[in-house]
Amino acid sequence: MAVGLANVLRINLVLFTSMEKVKTIPIVPREKVLCNHALYLAFNNCGCGHYDAVVESVKQVTSTDEEVYSTENEASEHENQERKSCRCGRGAARQNKEKMFCFQVPGERRSQCPCLREMKKCSSACSCFNCNNPHGTKSDNTTETSTSQKRNREKQSLQGLRKTSLEYMLQCGEKPKDPTWNRMEKYVLKSLVDHLVENGEFTNESDLTSSYNELVDIVNEIPDVNLLLHKKSKKVVQQMMKKTTQQAELFRQLYIQQAEENVAKKS
């Protein structure tokens, strides 16, 4: 309030307080002052004023907090009462099928059942075994549990399928795609074919497939080397060799045709 007064009047203020360590508080407005003289004011906490408003607001907040706190306690106690359940007889004592639980005999048997201690019956939330609670056993509360009905729905067409994916695709008239070859696999196969042909060791596609798969195993066992090589079947290798042979034959014919055209131009 004093700072706002100094900004409105554009004059310096000096506050005299009732505190021993801070007796005066000088206040300077933000803008240029209109007068070199200061206005002296004295404040204390006696009588009515803004101090009473502070006290009332504190009392109001305190009462509200108490109401909220009491409401939260009641809710937590209610939740604890609902969640409380027993698990009597779920341990090793369950091996004795004839032994009863959730009851006690004065001087002979003492039970730790929380439901029995609070003189309440065992509810459907309890997982006790052979319940014999005198206030109400678990079997008496069968009406509290909601029996879930089995959901009847039609099975999907693929749930009862007893075929492999390839057989199912062929049955539907779909032609499965051939496995693709990446660039590194093509390079390895071509290098292997060139090596076998050069040494006269190339016989048929079966030996080529075996040699290729052995080479893939050797390369994949090398640490810190990831060339993405995969084994291939004999059929896949035959298809690749057929495709490579066709491309080589086409390239040979184009080469012969280009050579004939070059000879014709020179003549």
Side-chain angles (χ1 to χ4, degrees):
M1 184 176 65
V3 177
L5 179 62
N7 292 330
V8 172
L9 299 178
R10 296 175 63 181
I11 189 173
N12 296 324
L13 298 180
V14 178
L15 300 181
F16 291 91
T17 66
S18 58
M19 296 182 290
E20 296 181 357
K21 296 183 179 180
V22 184
K23 296 182 179 181
T24 59
I25 300 177
I27 299 176
V28 181
R30 290 179 296 181
E31 299 180 0
K32 186 178 179 180
V33 296
L34 300 177
C35 180
N36 294 329
H37 298 284
L39 181 63
Y40 298 92
L41 301 175
F43 274 84
N44 57 19
N45 56 356
C46 298
C48 59
H50 58 281
Y51 294 100
D52 297 336
V54 174
V55 173
E56 290 179 0
S57 63
V58 171
K59 290 182 179 179
Q60 185 177 1
V61 172
T62 305
S63 61
T64 306
D65 291 342
E66 291 178 355
E67 293 177 358
V68 173
Y69 181 73
S70 61
T71 305
E72 292 179 353
N73 286 340
E74 292 177 358
S76 61
E77 291 178 359
H78 183 65
E79 290 179 358
N80 292 333
Q81 292 177 358
E82 290 183 351
R83 294 179 181 177
K84 188 170 293 185
S85 59
C86 66
R87 300 181 68 254
C88 304
R90 305 300 297 183
R94 188 178 180 180
Q95 297 178 0
N96 188 359
K97 302 296 183 180
E98 298 179 357
K99 189 174 182 180
M100 307 299 292
F101 297 92
C102 300
F103 79 101
Q104 62 183 4
V105 179
E108 297 182 5
R109 175 188 173 90
R110 183 177 180 182
S111 176
Q112 302 293 333
C113 178
C115 302
L116 184 63
R117 287 188 171 187
E118 295 184 1
M119 302 179 66
K120 295 181 180 180
K121 62 181 181 179
C122 292
S123 62
S124 58
C126 299
S127 57
C128 49
F129 179 72
N130 283 349
C131 180
N132 194 25
N133 191 337
H135 304 287
T137 60
K138 180 182 177 182
S139 58
D140 297 338
N141 301 323
T142 54
T143 57
E144 298 180 4
T145 59
S146 58
T147 57
S148 59
Q149 297 180 356
K150 186 177 180 181
R151 183 179 178 183
N152 296 325
R153 62 178 180 181
E154 297 180 358
K155 291 185 177 181
Q156 300 293 332
S157 59
L158 298 179
Q159 289 182 345
L161 189 63
R162 300 297 180 183
K163 297 181 180 180
T164 61
S165 57
L166 179 59
E167 294 175 351
Y168 180 73
M169 291 180 65
L170 295 176
Q171 180 183 354
C172 297
E174 298 290 341
K175 184 179 180 181
K177 295 183 179 180
D178 298 331
T180 58
W181 292 69
N182 56 38
R183 184 179 300 178
M184 185 58 63
E185 291 175 346
K186 292 180 181 179
Y187 176 76
V188 171
L189 181 63
K190 184 178 182 303
S191 302
L192 180 61
V193 172
D194 294 341
H195 175 74
L196 295 177
V197 171
E198 183 179 356
N199 296 333
E201 299 177 358
F202 183 81
T203 56
N204 50 31
E205 284 79 3
S206 299
D207 297 339
L208 178 61
T209 304
S210 301
S211 302
Y212 175 81
N213 292 333
E214 291 177 1
L215 183 60
V216 169
D217 291 335
I218 295 173
V219 174
N220 290 334
E221 291 178 357
I222 301 175
D224 300 333
V225 176
N226 188 11
L227 298 180
L228 299 177
L229 299 180
H230 302 87
K231 292 184 178 181
K232 306 295 181 181
S233 62
K234 179 182 176 181
K235 182 179 179 181
V236 175
V237 174
Q238 288 178 350
Q239 293 176 355
M240 177 55 66
M241 290 298 298
K242 182 179 179 180
K243 183 178 179 180
T244 305
T245 305
Q246 292 176 355
Q247 292 178 353
E249 182 64 23
L250 179 61
F251 178 77
R252 189 181 69 83
Q253 294 178 2
L254 292 175
Y255 180 79
I256 294 174
Q257 184 179 357
Q258 185 65 37
E260 292 177 353
E261 291 180 359
N262 293 338
V263 172
K265 288 181 180 180
K266 290 182 180 180
S267 61

